[in-house]
PDB file of all heavy atoms in Angstrom:
ATOM      1  N   VAL D 410       0.561  69.811-152.319  1.00 97.00           N
ATOM      2  CA  VAL D 410      -0.347  70.917-152.567  1.00 97.00           C
ATOM      3  C   VAL D 410      -1.017  70.822-153.937  1.00 97.00           C
ATOM      4  O   VAL D 410      -2.170  71.173-153.982  1.00 97.00           O
ATOM      5  CB  VAL D 410       0.323  72.388-152.411  1.00 97.00           C
ATOM      6  CG1 VAL D 410       0.844  72.623-150.980  1.00 97.00           C
ATOM      7  CG2 VAL D 410       1.330  72.647-153.395  1.00 97.00           C
ATOM      8  N   LYS D 411      -0.268  70.296-154.860  1.00 97.00           N
ATOM      9  CA  LYS D 411      -1.026  70.039-156.178  1.00 97.00           C
ATOM     10  C   LYS D 411      -2.057  68.974-155.993  1.00 97.00           C
ATOM     11  O   LYS D 411      -3.172  69.192-156.512  1.00 97.00           O
ATOM     12  CB  LYS D 411       0.062  69.565-157.202  1.00 97.00           C
ATOM     13  CG  LYS D 411      -0.621  69.515-158.498  1.00 97.00           C
ATOM     14  CD  LYS D 411       0.218  68.878-159.689  1.00 97.00           C
ATOM     15  CE  LYS D 411      -0.619  69.087-160.943  1.00 97.00           C
ATOM     16  NZ  LYS D 411      -0.015  68.320-162.011  1.00 97.00           N
ATOM     17  N   LYS D 412      -1.723  67.907-155.352  1.00 97.00           N
ATOM     18  CA  LYS D 412      -2.739  66.836-155.198  1.00 97.00           C
ATOM     19  C   LYS D 412      -3.969  67.402-154.422  1.00 97.00           C
ATOM     20  O   LYS D 412      -5.051  67.139-154.807  1.00 97.00           O
ATOM     21  CB  LYS D 412      -2.163  65.740-154.305  1.00 97.00           C
ATOM     22  CG  LYS D 412      -2.891  64.442-154.418  1.00 97.00           C
ATOM     23  CD  LYS D 412      -2.090  63.260-153.879  1.00 97.00           C
ATOM     24  CE  LYS D 412      -3.060  62.249-153.272  1.00 97.00           C
ATOM     25  NZ  LYS D 412      -2.821  61.818-151.874  1.00 97.00           N
ATOM     26  N   ALA D 413      -3.710  68.394-153.470  1.00 96.00           N
ATOM     27  CA  ALA D 413      -4.923  68.839-152.734  1.00 96.00           C
ATOM     28  C   ALA D 413      -5.680  69.834-153.480  1.00 96.00           C
ATOM     29  O   ALA D 413      -6.922  69.997-153.257  1.00 96.00           O
ATOM     30  CB  ALA D 413      -4.363  69.477-151.401  1.00 96.00           C
ATOM     31  N   GLY D 414      -5.150  70.478-154.481  1.00 95.00           N
ATOM     32  CA  GLY D 414      -5.940  71.403-155.315  1.00 95.00           C
ATOM     33  C   GLY D 414      -5.254  72.740-155.749  1.00 95.00           C
ATOM     34  O   GLY D 414      -5.816  73.564-156.383  1.00 95.00           O
ATOM     35  N   ALA D 415      -3.957  72.873-155.349  1.00 98.00           N
ATOM     36  CA  ALA D 415      -3.278  74.132-155.683  1.00 98.00           C
ATOM     37  C   ALA D 415      -2.898  74.049-157.190  1.00 98.00           C
ATOM     38  O   ALA D 415      -2.554  72.969-157.618  1.00 98.00           O
ATOM     39  CB  ALA D 415      -2.024  74.330-154.884  1.00 98.00           C
ATOM     40  N   SER D 416      -2.823  75.143-157.860  1.00 97.00           N
ATOM     41  CA  SER D 416      -2.413  75.056-159.199  1.00 97.00           C
ATOM     42  C   SER D 416      -1.131  75.907-159.530  1.00 97.00           C
ATOM     43  O   SER D 416      -0.519  75.835-160.571  1.00 97.00           O
ATOM     44  CB  SER D 416      -3.454  75.502-160.171  1.00 97.00           C
ATOM     45  OG  SER D 416      -4.116  76.625-159.810  1.00 97.00           O
ATOM     46  N   ILE D 417      -0.613  76.680-158.608  1.00 98.00           N
ATOM     47  CA  ILE D 417       0.647  77.469-158.725  1.00 98.00           C
ATOM     48  C   ILE D 417       1.452  77.228-157.536  1.00 98.00           C
ATOM     49  O   ILE D 417       0.950  77.167-156.422  1.00 98.00           O
ATOM     50  CB  ILE D 417       0.309  78.994-158.972  1.00 98.00           C
ATOM     51  CG1 ILE D 417      -0.426  79.136-160.226  1.00 98.00           C
ATOM     52  CG2 ILE D 417       1.662  79.798-159.003  1.00 98.00           C
ATOM     53  CD1 ILE D 417      -0.834  80.657-160.545  1.00 98.00           C
ATOM     54  N   LEU D 418       2.745  77.057-157.720  1.00 98.00           N
ATOM     55  CA  LEU D 418       3.683  76.773-156.618  1.00 98.00           C
ATOM     56  C   LEU D 418       4.468  78.060-156.163  1.00 98.00           C
ATOM     57  O   LEU D 418       4.975  78.827-157.039  1.00 98.00           O
ATOM     58  CB  LEU D 418       4.712  75.766-157.001  1.00 98.00           C
ATOM     59  CG  LEU D 418       5.724  75.365-156.037  1.00 98.00           C
ATOM     60  CD1 LEU D 418       5.111  74.675-154.816  1.00 98.00           C
ATOM     61  CD2 LEU D 418       6.873  74.382-156.645  1.00 98.00           C
ATOM     62  N   ARG D 419       4.454  78.372-154.979  1.00 97.00           N
ATOM     63  CA  ARG D 419       5.190  79.519-154.528  1.00 97.00           C
ATOM     64  C   ARG D 419       6.467  78.984-153.616  1.00 97.00           C
ATOM     65  O   ARG D 419       6.396  77.880-153.066  1.00 97.00           O
ATOM     66  CB  ARG D 419       4.491  80.428-153.570  1.00 97.00           C
ATOM     67  CG  ARG D 419       3.839  79.794-152.393  1.00 97.00           C
ATOM     68  CD  ARG D 419       3.734  80.799-151.165  1.00 97.00           C
ATOM     69  NE  ARG D 419       5.099  81.178-150.785  1.00 97.00           N
ATOM     70  CZ  ARG D 419       5.382  82.331-150.205  1.00 97.00           C
ATOM     71  NH1 ARG D 419       4.547  83.227-150.099  1.00 97.00           N
ATOM     72  NH2 ARG D 419       6.577  82.584-149.826  1.00 97.00           N
ATOM     73  N   GLY D 420       7.454  79.792-153.601  1.00 96.00           N
ATOM     74  CA  GLY D 420       8.701  79.500-152.665  1.00 96.00           C
ATOM     75  C   GLY D 420       9.619  80.550-152.869  1.00 96.00           C
ATOM     76  O   GLY D 420       9.851  81.011-154.002  1.00 96.00           O
ATOM     77  N   GLY D 421      10.296  80.952-151.762  1.00 95.00           N
ATOM     78  CA  GLY D 421      11.264  82.032-151.760  1.00 95.00           C
ATOM     79  C   GLY D 421      12.672  81.640-151.959  1.00 95.00           C
ATOM     80  O   GLY D 421      13.016  80.651-151.202  1.00 95.00           O
ATOM     81  N   ALA D 422      13.415  82.280-152.829  1.00 95.00           N
ATOM     82  CA  ALA D 422      14.829  81.936-152.998  1.00 95.00           C
ATOM     83  C   ALA D 422      15.592  83.117-152.466  1.00 95.00           C
ATOM     84  O   ALA D 422      16.778  82.932-151.911  1.00 95.00           O
ATOM     85  CB  ALA D 422      15.190  81.643-154.520  1.00 95.00           C
ATOM     86  N   PHE D 423      15.129  84.307-152.624  1.00 94.00           N
ATOM     87  CA  PHE D 423      15.681  85.493-151.999  1.00 94.00           C
ATOM     88  C   PHE D 423      14.739  86.017-151.001  1.00 94.00           C
ATOM     89  O   PHE D 423      13.647  86.348-151.408  1.00 94.00           O
ATOM     90  CB  PHE D 423      15.934  86.628-153.125  1.00 94.00           C
ATOM     91  CG  PHE D 423      16.865  86.079-154.214  1.00 94.00           C
ATOM     92  CD1 PHE D 423      16.386  85.574-155.375  1.00 94.00           C
ATOM     93  CD2 PHE D 423      18.232  86.173-154.070  1.00 94.00           C
ATOM     94  CE1 PHE D 423      17.236  85.197-156.480  1.00 94.00           C
ATOM     95  CE2 PHE D 423      19.091  85.831-155.125  1.00 94.00           C
ATOM     96  CZ  PHE D 423      18.585  85.227-156.297  1.00 94.00           C
ATOM     97  N   LYS D 424      15.077  86.000-149.792  1.00 89.00           N
ATOM     98  CA  LYS D 424      14.192  86.224-148.692  1.00 89.00           C
ATOM     99  C   LYS D 424      14.443  87.702-148.058  1.00 89.00           C
ATOM    100  O   LYS D 424      15.474  87.801-147.543  1.00 89.00           O
ATOM    101  CB  LYS D 424      14.327  85.211-147.626  1.00 89.00           C
ATOM    102  CG  LYS D 424      13.885  83.798-148.012  1.00 89.00           C
ATOM    103  CD  LYS D 424      12.570  83.645-148.627  1.00 89.00           C
ATOM    104  CE  LYS D 424      11.483  84.083-147.573  1.00 89.00           C
ATOM    105  NZ  LYS D 424      10.154  84.197-148.147  1.00 89.00           N
ATOM    106  N   PRO D 425      13.444  88.437-148.037  1.00 87.00           N
ATOM    107  CA  PRO D 425      13.563  89.772-147.308  1.00 87.00           C
ATOM    108  C   PRO D 425      13.318  89.431-145.812  1.00 87.00           C
ATOM    109  O   PRO D 425      12.224  89.076-145.447  1.00 87.00           O
ATOM    110  CB  PRO D 425      12.391  90.586-147.882  1.00 87.00           C
ATOM    111  CG  PRO D 425      11.338  89.702-148.332  1.00 87.00           C
ATOM    112  CD  PRO D 425      12.107  88.391-148.585  1.00 87.00           C
ATOM    113  N   ARG D 426      14.322  89.625-144.998  1.00 86.00           N
ATOM    114  CA  ARG D 426      14.152  89.292-143.578  1.00 86.00           C
ATOM    115  C   ARG D 426      14.488  90.560-142.753  1.00 86.00           C
ATOM    116  O   ARG D 426      15.503  91.205-142.979  1.00 86.00           O
ATOM    117  CB  ARG D 426      15.173  88.198-143.170  1.00 86.00           C
ATOM    118  CG  ARG D 426      14.959  86.892-144.048  1.00 86.00           C
ATOM    119  CD  ARG D 426      13.604  86.367-143.900  1.00 86.00           C
ATOM    120  NE  ARG D 426      13.104  85.999-142.572  1.00 86.00           N
ATOM    121  CZ  ARG D 426      13.525  84.841-141.994  1.00 86.00           C
ATOM    122  NH1 ARG D 426      14.229  83.896-142.668  1.00 86.00           N
ATOM    123  NH2 ARG D 426      13.066  84.637-140.776  1.00 86.00           N
ATOM    124  N   THR D 427      13.642  90.794-141.702  1.00 85.00           N
ATOM    125  CA  THR D 427      13.822  91.992-140.841  1.00 85.00           C
ATOM    126  C   THR D 427      15.284  91.987-140.220  1.00 85.00           C
ATOM    127  O   THR D 427      15.849  92.960-140.146  1.00 85.00           O
ATOM    128  CB  THR D 427      12.752  91.868-139.709  1.00 85.00           C
ATOM    129  OG1 THR D 427      11.525  91.903-140.314  1.00 85.00           O
ATOM    130  CG2 THR D 427      12.927  93.261-138.865  1.00 85.00           C
ATOM    131  N   SER D 428      15.781  90.736-139.903  1.00 85.00           N
ATOM    132  CA  SER D 428      17.045  90.694-139.257  1.00 85.00           C
ATOM    133  C   SER D 428      18.172  90.259-140.290  1.00 85.00           C
ATOM    134  O   SER D 428      17.933  89.285-141.030  1.00 85.00           O
ATOM    135  CB  SER D 428      17.017  89.713-138.166  1.00 85.00           C
ATOM    136  OG  SER D 428      18.377  89.379-137.710  1.00 85.00           O
ATOM    137  N   PRO D 429      19.290  90.784-140.286  1.00 88.00           N
ATOM    138  CA  PRO D 429      20.367  90.318-141.179  1.00 88.00           C
ATOM    139  C   PRO D 429      20.913  89.067-140.714  1.00 88.00           C
ATOM    140  O   PRO D 429      21.737  88.431-141.407  1.00 88.00           O
ATOM    141  CB  PRO D 429      21.425  91.478-141.025  1.00 88.00           C
ATOM    142  CG  PRO D 429      21.155  92.203-139.703  1.00 88.00           C
ATOM    143  CD  PRO D 429      19.807  92.059-139.563  1.00 88.00           C
ATOM    144  N   TYR D 430      20.572  88.611-139.589  1.00 85.00           N
ATOM    145  CA  TYR D 430      21.126  87.336-139.022  1.00 85.00           C
ATOM    146  C   TYR D 430      20.170  86.268-139.366  1.00 85.00           C
ATOM    147  O   TYR D 430      20.418  85.086-139.068  1.00 85.00           O
ATOM    148  CB  TYR D 430      21.372  87.496-137.466  1.00 85.00           C
ATOM    149  CG  TYR D 430      22.220  88.610-137.189  1.00 85.00           C
ATOM    150  CD1 TYR D 430      21.672  89.654-136.382  1.00 85.00           C
ATOM    151  CD2 TYR D 430      23.536  88.637-137.507  1.00 85.00           C
ATOM    152  CE1 TYR D 430      22.499  90.789-136.138  1.00 85.00           C
ATOM    153  CE2 TYR D 430      24.367  89.699-137.164  1.00 85.00           C
ATOM    154  CZ  TYR D 430      23.824  90.798-136.464  1.00 85.00           C
ATOM    155  OH  TYR D 430      24.600  91.819-136.138  1.00 85.00           O
ATOM    156  N   SER D 431      18.987  86.491-140.009  1.00 84.00           N
ATOM    157  CA  SER D 431      18.050  85.485-140.324  1.00 84.00           C
ATOM    158  C   SER D 431      18.401  84.798-141.718  1.00 84.00           C
ATOM    159  O   SER D 431      19.143  85.495-142.503  1.00 84.00           O
ATOM    160  CB  SER D 431      16.612  85.996-140.366  1.00 84.00           C
ATOM    161  OG  SER D 431      16.245  86.465-139.144  1.00 84.00           O
ATOM    162  N   PHE D 432      17.955  83.632-141.947  1.00 84.00           N
ATOM    163  CA  PHE D 432      18.176  82.901-143.182  1.00 84.00           C
ATOM    164  C   PHE D 432      17.687  83.779-144.298  1.00 84.00           C
ATOM    165  O   PHE D 432      16.623  84.297-144.409  1.00 84.00           O
ATOM    166  CB  PHE D 432      17.193  81.660-143.111  1.00 84.00           C
ATOM    167  CG  PHE D 432      17.210  80.845-144.399  1.00 84.00           C
ATOM    168  CD1 PHE D 432      18.444  80.283-144.782  1.00 84.00           C
ATOM    169  CD2 PHE D 432      16.032  80.619-145.095  1.00 84.00           C
ATOM    170  CE1 PHE D 432      18.398  79.482-145.959  1.00 84.00           C
ATOM    171  CE2 PHE D 432      16.081  79.854-146.201  1.00 84.00           C
ATOM    172  CZ  PHE D 432      17.232  79.295-146.655  1.00 84.00           C
ATOM    173  N   GLN D 433      18.633  83.965-145.275  1.00 88.00           N
ATOM    174  CA  GLN D 433      18.305  84.806-146.391  1.00 88.00           C
ATOM    175  C   GLN D 433      17.942  84.171-147.699  1.00 88.00           C
ATOM    176  O   GLN D 433      17.906  84.867-148.775  1.00 88.00           O
ATOM    177  CB  GLN D 433      19.531  85.761-146.636  1.00 88.00           C
ATOM    178  CG  GLN D 433      20.088  86.418-145.281  1.00 88.00           C
ATOM    179  CD  GLN D 433      19.523  87.817-145.078  1.00 88.00           C
ATOM    180  OE1 GLN D 433      19.325  88.609-146.052  1.00 88.00           O
ATOM    181  NE2 GLN D 433      19.236  88.145-143.801  1.00 88.00           N
ATOM    182  N   GLY D 434      17.678  82.872-147.656  1.00 92.00           N
ATOM    183  CA  GLY D 434      17.324  82.180-148.885  1.00 92.00           C
ATOM    184  C   GLY D 434      18.569  81.479-149.558  1.00 92.00           C
ATOM    185  O   GLY D 434      19.713  81.858-149.389  1.00 92.00           O
ATOM    186  N   LEU D 435      18.167  80.517-150.515  1.00 94.00           N
ATOM    187  CA  LEU D 435      19.142  79.633-151.094  1.00 94.00           C
ATOM    188  C   LEU D 435      19.711  80.362-152.402  1.00 94.00           C
ATOM    189  O   LEU D 435      20.551  79.833-153.044  1.00 94.00           O
ATOM    190  CB  LEU D 435      18.681  78.310-151.448  1.00 94.00           C
ATOM    191  CG  LEU D 435      18.375  77.367-150.201  1.00 94.00           C
ATOM    192  CD1 LEU D 435      17.856  76.014-150.824  1.00 94.00           C
ATOM    193  CD2 LEU D 435      19.476  77.237-149.365  1.00 94.00           C
ATOM    194  N   GLY D 436      19.116  81.497-152.779  1.00 95.00           N
ATOM    195  CA  GLY D 436      19.515  82.199-153.980  1.00 95.00           C
ATOM    196  C   GLY D 436      19.362  81.262-155.219  1.00 95.00           C
ATOM    197  O   GLY D 436      18.238  80.633-155.352  1.00 95.00           O
TER     198      GLY D 436
END
Side-chain angles (χ1 to χ4, degrees):
Chain D
V410 299
K411 187 182 182 190
K412 199 169 148 231
S416 52
I417 298 177
L418 179 64
R419 61 149 289 151
F423 299 96
K424 297 299 305 170
R426 304 302 301 277
T427 304
S428 167
Y430 305 112
S431 295
F432 176 63
Q433 309 268 323
L435 295 181

